[in-house]
Amino acid sequence: MPTADLTLPADIGPTVERALAEDVGDGDRNAALVDEGLRASASVIVRENAILAGSPWFEQVFAALDSSVSVEWAYSDGQRIRSNTPICHVEGPVRALLTGERTALNFLQLLSGVASSTFDFVERVKGTNTQIIDTRKTLPGLRSAQRYAVRCGGGINHRFGLFDAILIKENHILAAGSIGTAVQRARETAEGLFVQVEIETLEELEQALEAGIDGVLLDNLPSHVLARAVNMADAHRRRFRRDIVIEASGDINLRNVREIADTGVDRISIGGLTKHIKATDFSMRMKTR
């Protein structure tokens, strides 16, 4: 079972508010078809095996619509859920349940899909020392939610954005003139931040190691070259007693992720965790009183 840090992001409320505003607009004309005082209960059922994620967003949707809605969970985020299993029970005014149903399920299906995909990759590299991490390739406005879902699936998070770590990519190197110059400027302008360089050849790796970086991102290198890169980095670690994070990325899938992990890289970053999303199928079935 995933044991990642499931600390909740601080922007759940605003994220839910935007989602409800998008769907409800100036009023739910559909819910108005139902008597205002009517109450109901409902069960949410998962239609496929998955890892649950998104329950705080689900709850916040109904809390924002009517504080009298109650939600009782049979499972917690990060747990495996089996097909055709009820995962929670919701009770409250029918209008609130109808208005919030789609938005609440949208969060649940999206985030459980991310968690489930992450879990599959984590399972493939089990037994190695390699960690599965996400990238900045997230849905606009949902980055913190998707990063939470990655943690639910047992993965870890890369930098949040452009402000909390430095990743020197090909265009940065081209604009700066060299890897060494780019690293030097990073140290001068962002003291204390983690500095990582994306490299595509072993020659570039040598330059990055000489520049004194904190980590390297080995992009689209075949496994035999990755193994050589890991050996080079390990030798540099021993010689200078300096920790260096070795990360692989580029065209990673469930078929090749284990082979890449077996090269000894510390991390494998996969943009598909948060951009190639297969939503988990949930449904909500209501019973009126």
Side-chain angles (χ1 to χ4, degrees):
M1 182 181 298
T3 57
D5 175 16
L6 299 187
T7 301
L8 295 176
D11 64 347
I12 294 177
T15 300
V16 167
E17 287 178 12
R18 289 194 299 271
L20 284 172
E22 178 180 66
D23 199 36
V24 178
D26 64 352
D28 182 356
R29 308 295 188 259
N30 299 272
L33 303 175
V34 179
D35 290 342
E36 187 173 1
L38 192 63
R39 295 182 65 86
S41 63
S43 293
V44 175
I45 301 169
V46 62
R47 298 303 184 184
E48 56 188 309
N49 296 338
I51 301 296
L52 180 63
S55 60
W57 286 261
F58 182 96
E59 290 181 4
Q60 182 61 32
V61 168
F62 293 109
L65 293 169
D66 193 309
S67 61
S68 70
V69 175
S70 64
V71 183
E72 295 182 3
W73 294 92
Y75 297 89
S76 301
D77 281 3
Q79 287 188 311
R80 295 191 195 192
I81 49 179
R82 300 296 183 184
S83 177
N84 296 317
T85 300
I87 63 164
C88 73
H89 181 80
V90 187
E91 188 170 331
V94 171
R95 286 191 177 186
L97 300 191
L98 290 173
T99 299
E101 175 185 2
R102 184 68 270 155
T103 300
L105 291 180
N106 281 349
F107 280 113
L108 212 58
Q109 69 182 19
L110 166 68
L111 300 184
S112 295
V114 171
S116 301
S117 176
T118 303
F119 180 81
D120 289 341
F121 278 98
V122 170
E123 285 291 291
R124 291 294 176 95
V125 302
K126 185 175 288 185
T128 73
N129 293 321
T130 302
Q131 296 175 306
I132 299 298
I133 69 173
D134 54 19
T135 73
R136 288 168 48 239
K137 297 175 182 177
T138 54
L139 301 181
L142 291 172
R143 180 168 296 175
S144 63
Q146 289 190 281
R147 284 164 59 89
Y148 169 85
V150 166
R151 299 196 301 274
C152 287
I156 64 171
N157 299 141
H158 210 294
R159 58 177 180 161
F160 190 94
L162 298 174
F163 57 90
D164 58 343
I166 294 178
L167 175 54
I168 299 171
K169 300 171 72 70
E170 179 183 5
N171 287 335
H172 300 113
I173 297 169
L174 181 65
S178 70
I179 289 175
T181 300
V183 172
Q184 180 181 354
R185 290 180 179 174
R187 298 297 189 196
E188 293 171 349
T189 60
E191 184 177 355
L193 288 189
F194 183 86
V195 178
Q196 184 179 22
V197 176
E198 181 180 85
I199 64 103
E200 297 179 348
T201 67
L202 295 180
E203 291 75 17
E204 290 179 348
L205 173 59
E206 187 65 41
Q207 295 172 38
L209 293 173
E210 291 176 359
I213 41 75
D214 301 312
V216 291
L217 174 59
L218 309 172
D219 187 41
N220 278 298
L221 297 181
S223 57
H224 70 280
V225 179
L226 283 174
R228 289 181 60 191
V230 169
N231 289 336
M232 289 172 61
D234 284 341
H236 190 85
R237 284 168 172 159
R238 292 191 298 268
R239 180 181 177 187
F240 295 98
R241 297 182 181 180
R242 179 184 180 87
D243 190 29
I244 301 169
V245 176
I246 309 301
E247 178 183 332
S249 72
D251 197 25
I252 311 293
N253 54 57
L254 289 173
R255 296 185 301 275
N256 64 14
V257 68
R258 179 64 188 223
E259 179 183 345
I260 294 170
D262 285 338
T263 65
V265 296
D266 301 306
R267 310 190 307 195
I268 298 175
S269 54
I270 304 170
L273 298 179
T274 52
K275 69 169 183 170
H276 297 158
I277 303 161
K278 179 186 178 297
T280 301
D281 189 9
F282 291 94
S283 62
M284 193 166 98
R285 292 290 179 260
M286 185 181 301
K287 293 182 180 179
T288 59
R289 290 182 178 178

